Amino acid sequence: MSGMKAKVIEVSQEAQRELEKLANRYSTRQQIALRARLVLRMAEGKNNSEIAREMKVRLNTVRLWR
């Protein structure tokens, strides 16, 4: 699979605000917060490997949510 480009993720400003709220809210389940943080990093244009390293998650986890 090397050489394949990751799908570009674009989020609107409104969606970004909602994802940030989910990621930072104390009462959000951690599984949901993790997904929100993953999508936010994807929207920044980072590749799967960068995100996995930064967030200390498996590469397959990032691939799944992209």
Side-chain angles (χ1 to χ4, degrees):
M1 289 202 155
S2 67
M4 292 183 69
K5 282 221 163 219
K7 187 175 182 178
V8 175
I9 303 294
E10 294 182 22
V11 295
S12 67
Q13 288 182 348
E14 182 180 342
Q16 182 173 350
R17 282 192 298 271
E18 290 301 316
L19 287 167
E20 288 170 352
K21 284 181 190 176
L22 281 173
N24 297 319
R25 190 179 307 145
Y26 180 74
S27 61
T28 301
R29 290 182 18 216
Q30 288 306 299
Q31 188 176 26
I32 301 297
L34 172 65
R35 292 175 190 164
R37 287 190 295 271
L38 286 170
V39 173
L40 286 168
R41 282 181 175 77
M42 291 170 193
E44 292 173 0
K46 295 185 179 187
N47 69 39
N48 293 350
S49 297
E50 288 175 311
I51 296 169
R53 273 193 306 274
E54 284 179 10
M55 298 188 64
K56 296 181 174 77
V57 297
R58 291 180 165 206
L59 185 56
N60 284 337
T61 301
V62 180
R63 288 179 182 147
L64 174 69
W65 290 104
R66 184 171 296 268

